[in-house]
Amino acid sequence: MGRALLMDAALDDVFIDDISFPAVDGYSLTGTLFLPRGVKRHAVLINSATAVPRKVYRGFASYLAHRGCAVLTYDYRGIGGSRLPALVGYNQPKSLVGFEASMSDWAALDVTAAVAWMRERYHTLPLNYVGHSFGGQALGLIANNSEISRALFVASQAATWKLIPSPENYRVFVFMNFIGVPVAHLLGYAPGWLGIGEDLPKGVFLQGAKWVSSPRHLFDSRLPALANFAGYKGELRALTFSDDPWATRPAVELLCSGFTATEPEVLTVKPSDVGVKTIGHFGFFRPDHRDTLWRGVAEWIQGE
């Protein structure tokens, strides 16, 4: 009850507004802006994990806004509020069959636009970046990452299946290649009932499955956008959690190795370090960590 009251008090001190803004190609993206009632001292862009809607980050975004940050969360195309509505049926999303999108599109068209929108709107403030899982990968793929002063990665990794602990690695390899990929081809999209979170566009799932099955993940993809990794020169801190089977320290270090123009700091956190039993791939964003993990990263983001 006490924690809930603290969260309610924090929300009362924050202005929250749902917005839309255009991606690089004009596609309409939906986001939520969290603003402090007082002076804004930093701008923060929160970039989601794959198949995760922006609402998951609402508590953390509110916390940062309470501390004086202007914060934007948003959904990539085909996800959450950035998925087109159906023409018939009440409040139903349009089918993703035939919807063209890939993970590299998310970076080049959506993340790039979100960075530009925040940079233009808050041009006098330091612009900081929070990337959860895929959100961290995207920082290296965008051409305007030089606009970012500090980047915090939360369970962001280049999780090739061989860097996932056994037997989970074999389960992931089999699921991706012998269940997920055939279902995506059969249905024309990857349904959330596979256990992946939200429905995913076919191209997003297929590209992700290919990266997971490659020895060096996205670094084996030969994407021209890989050259953008070297453009990021800001501070970079990456958190890995000891009970996260995906973002293992080797997988996090592999992703960070692409940022050759800076010196990434990789920190391993055990659940016992913050007095909890589990954190895993998603647990950082639970409000339980308001006075531990959240406070620590907020102080780092704000240079305190």
Side-chain angles (χ1 to χ4, degrees):
M1 177 65 73
R3 184 179 292 112
L5 290 175
L6 284 173
M7 286 299 294
D8 289 343
L11 289 173
D12 287 343
D13 204 28
V14 172
F15 177 78
I16 302 174
D17 188 27
D18 288 332
I19 64 166
S20 62
F21 61 96
V24 171
D25 61 348
Y27 185 95
S28 182
L29 300 173
T30 299
T32 302
L33 196 58
F34 300 78
L35 300 176
R37 299 289 182 180
V39 177
K40 305 175 188 67
R41 295 183 287 126
H42 295 82
V44 180
L45 177 67
I46 298 179
N47 305 270
S48 308
T50 306
V52 177
R54 72 187 191 281
K55 64 183 180 182
V56 169
Y57 309 102
R58 182 180 179 89
F60 182 58
S62 297
Y63 175 77
L64 292 177
H66 181 70
R67 292 179 58 99
C69 298
V71 185
L72 177 66
T73 63
Y74 66 105
D75 292 319
Y76 308 130
R77 63 188 62 204
I79 300 295
S82 296
R83 182 172 174 177
L84 298 174
L87 296 178
V88 294
Y90 177 71
N91 200 28
Q92 294 296 314
K94 185 177 181 180
S95 171
L96 289 177
V97 175
F99 186 83
E100 297 292 332
S102 65
M103 299 185 99
S104 50
D105 289 336
W106 278 357
L109 303 176
D110 301 350
V111 182
T112 298
V115 169
W117 191 90
M118 286 292 280
R119 180 71 289 164
E120 180 179 3
R121 187 178 182 95
Y122 301 107
H123 59 276
T124 63
L125 302 179
L127 177 56
N128 302 312
Y129 185 105
V130 175
H132 180 208
S133 197
F134 167 75
Q137 299 168 16
L139 178 68
L141 296 173
I142 60 175
N144 59 348
N145 57 23
S146 60
E147 300 288 346
I148 307 298
S149 299
R150 289 189 170 213
L152 174 78
F153 288 176
V154 178
S156 291
Q157 77 298 316
T160 175
W161 73 280
K162 291 185 177 180
L163 294 181
I164 297 173
S166 180
E168 177 70 4
N169 57 345
Y170 295 106
R171 188 197 70 80
V172 167
F173 185 85
V174 170
F175 168 77
M176 287 289 192
N177 293 283
F178 298 104
I179 300 175
V181 168
V183 168
H185 280 298
L186 177 66
L187 299 182
Y189 73 103
W193 52 255
L194 285 173
I196 59 175
E198 292 216 345
D199 295 345
L200 284 176
K202 175 182 174 181
V204 169
F205 185 85
L206 294 182
Q207 188 172 45
K210 185 174 182 179
W211 289 356
V212 168
S213 301
S214 301
R216 287 181 51 80
H217 202 260
L218 78 168
F219 296 116
D220 287 335
S221 65
R222 298 183 181 179
L223 286 171
L226 287 172
N228 294 328
F229 269 82
Y232 180 68
K233 299 179 174 63
E235 300 290 324
L236 173 56
R237 173 176 285 186
L239 301 184
T240 174
F241 305 103
S242 61
D243 63 333
D244 182 354
W246 279 82
T248 60
R249 188 174 181 103
V252 172
E253 290 177 342
L254 176 56
L255 176 62
C256 288
S257 70
F259 294 94
T260 55
T262 187
E263 296 184 7
E265 176 188 23
V266 180
L267 300 179
T268 300
V269 179
K270 299 177 182 178
S272 59
D273 293 338
V274 291
V276 297
K277 293 183 178 179
T278 62
I279 299 176
H281 199 59
F282 298 95
F284 172 89
F285 296 100
R286 295 195 306 262
D288 310 46
H289 303 303
R290 176 184 178 87
D291 296 322
T292 53
L293 293 173
W294 288 11
R295 184 174 64 186
V297 301
E299 290 172 350
W300 183 82
I301 287 171
Q302 296 178 295
E304 297 178 357

